[in-house]
Amino acid sequence: MYSLRKRLLSLIMVLSICLCVSSVCNANQATTQGVTAAASGLIGDLNGDGAIDALDYSLMKQFLLGTVTDLPVQDDLYAADLDGDAKITALDLALSKQYLLGLITKFPKIPPQNITTVIMPLGDSITDGITVPGAYRIKLWNNITSAGQKVDFVGSMSNGPTELGDKNHEGHSGWRIDQIDANINAWMTTYKPKIVLLHIGTNDISQKYDLNNAPNRLSSLIDKICAKLPSDGKLYVAKVIPLSYADVRNYNTQVAQVVQNKANQGKPVFVVDMYSAVTTADLPDGVHCSRTGYDKMADVWYNAIKNDLGK
């Protein structure tokens, strides 16, 4: 009985020490170690509460045992890979324990620097913003920079108001998928974007241009973009926003199918549901967004790419 009480008291003392050490380390982490509260989150903070404590150690243990398969944070590998080997293993669990006990004051993994993310906004007049110069790019820029991230919009076109800090883009008024496709290799080679935001197909629908083959044209364009992306690059393809005079839902279903097929092939392409974010009430001319509508588009783009920024 005495032995059991002694063991319980020892366990309580260890946990108390862990929590105390965690609090001290968290208070000093900005200056003492590479465990930084960057925009991507805190390395070692597996539950996203802004602290590194016994709860995170328990989560990592459960993750390794398979009783937890998805951590509460947005980027499991960023938070739980403590030694920087791009894997979550028992070595990371051991490092977590050492950190809590105060045996180490930083993890071996060096946090990523706040690098500039190169983004190509790509498409037609909805990207250009002929009725609202800057289009969704205005609020997207503000969203990114307000989060403390650095971004470089790239492209051969340029427009937008003063509040848009980078006016470059590849939005071409009136262009269809095939016209973007004819130029994409040169643009990708010249500007080398890490992220491409593609909203295209509206003019194919408006012009009723060989709509049966629109998915094939989109497939070809996606292949060309993916072939030119860097190893950690990504392509986000939007379901197009509504039109007041045409039903775009069938095309959007095809967009989702094409993107899923490419993803199944291992290509870094993702669909973004822009259609659901905007209504015809946001389209003063029936095609292009008002500033309010473009702000809605910006938020959808930002939520899609925010975990890719600064890495």
Side-chain angles (χ1 to χ4, degrees):
M1 188 68 176
Y2 173 77
S3 176
L4 177 60
R5 287 179 181 173
K6 187 175 180 181
R7 290 171 63 186
L8 287 172
L9 286 172
S10 298
L11 179 59
I12 292 171
M13 288 178 64
V14 169
L15 289 175
S16 298
I17 291 169
C18 286
L19 293 173
C20 290
V21 170
S22 173
S23 299
V24 172
C25 289
N26 288 328
N28 294 292
Q29 64 193 12
T31 57
T32 61
Q33 59 139 319
V35 184
T36 59
S40 302
L42 190 65
I43 295 175
D45 174 21
L46 277 62
N47 62 359
D49 66 355
I52 304 170
D53 52 34
L55 294 176
D56 302 303
Y57 177 83
S58 176
L59 266 176
M60 185 180 292
K61 188 172 184 179
Q62 294 176 64
F63 186 86
L64 292 172
L65 290 173
T67 55
V68 170
T69 58
D70 186 27
L71 299 173
V73 289
Q74 293 177 334
D75 191 335
D76 292 2
L77 188 62
Y78 179 89
D81 170 29
L82 307 183
D83 60 2
D85 65 353
K87 296 179 288 184
I88 304 172
T89 68
L91 292 176
D92 299 304
L93 184 66
L95 285 168
S96 178
K97 184 176 182 180
Q98 292 173 49
Y99 180 76
L100 292 175
L101 292 174
L103 301 177
I104 60 173
T105 59
K106 63 180 180 180
F107 300 130
K109 182 167 73 173
I110 300 174
Q113 300 299 311
N114 187 5
I115 62 174
T116 299
T117 305
V118 181
I119 298 176
M120 177 183 286
L122 176 64
D124 49 37
S125 57
I126 293 168
T127 297
D128 172 78
I130 58 172
T131 56
V132 180
Y136 67 75
R137 295 175 284 113
I138 303 170
K139 190 170 188 223
L140 180 58
W141 167 269
N142 288 327
N143 285 349
I144 294 171
T145 55
S146 295
Q149 300 288 353
K150 298 177 182 178
V151 62
D152 179 17
F153 287 158
V154 296
S156 59
M157 309 292 285
S158 179
N159 75 335
T162 302
E163 66 179 296
L164 176 55
D166 188 337
K167 299 175 175 58
N168 298 326
H169 64 94
E170 284 295 356
H172 297 264
S173 182
W175 282 31
R176 304 181 304 266
I177 299 170
D178 61 307
Q179 293 169 299
I180 296 292
D181 181 88
N183 292 273
I184 193 60
N185 280 337
W187 293 334
M188 293 294 291
T189 298
T190 299
Y191 299 108
K192 298 177 175 58
K194 178 180 177 180
I195 295 175
V196 176
L197 307 179
L198 176 63
H199 184 286
I200 196 65
T202 298
N203 290 307
D204 296 72
I205 296 169
S206 296
Q207 298 172 26
K208 298 179 181 178
Y209 180 79
D210 191 19
L211 289 178
N212 288 336
N213 284 316
N216 293 331
R217 293 194 295 276
L218 181 63
S219 175
S220 173
L221 177 58
I222 289 173
D223 285 343
K224 288 183 178 180
I225 294 172
C226 288
K228 292 281 189 175
L229 286 171
S231 59
D232 57 348
K234 292 183 180 180
L235 165 62
Y236 290 90
V237 182
K239 294 181 180 180
V240 299
I241 63 173
L243 288 170
S244 62
Y245 53 82
D247 190 345
V248 302
R249 287 176 294 180
N250 182 60
Y251 173 75
N252 280 336
T253 297
Q254 295 172 326
V255 169
Q257 291 171 343
V258 170
V259 170
Q260 185 60 56
N261 288 338
K262 299 300 181 182
N264 291 342
Q265 296 170 20
K267 296 187 177 181
V269 57
F270 307 87
V271 70
V272 176
D273 187 6
M274 202 63 73
Y275 177 83
S276 298
V278 177
T279 71
T280 52
D282 297 311
L283 312 174
D285 65 357
V287 182
H288 305 95
C289 288
S290 62
R291 175 63 189 265
T292 299
Y294 277 128
D295 285 352
K296 292 177 181 179
M297 289 186 69
D299 288 340
V300 174
W301 282 130
Y302 179 71
N303 286 330
I305 68 172
K306 62 184 179 182
N307 290 330
D308 305 321
L309 301 172
K311 296 182 181 179

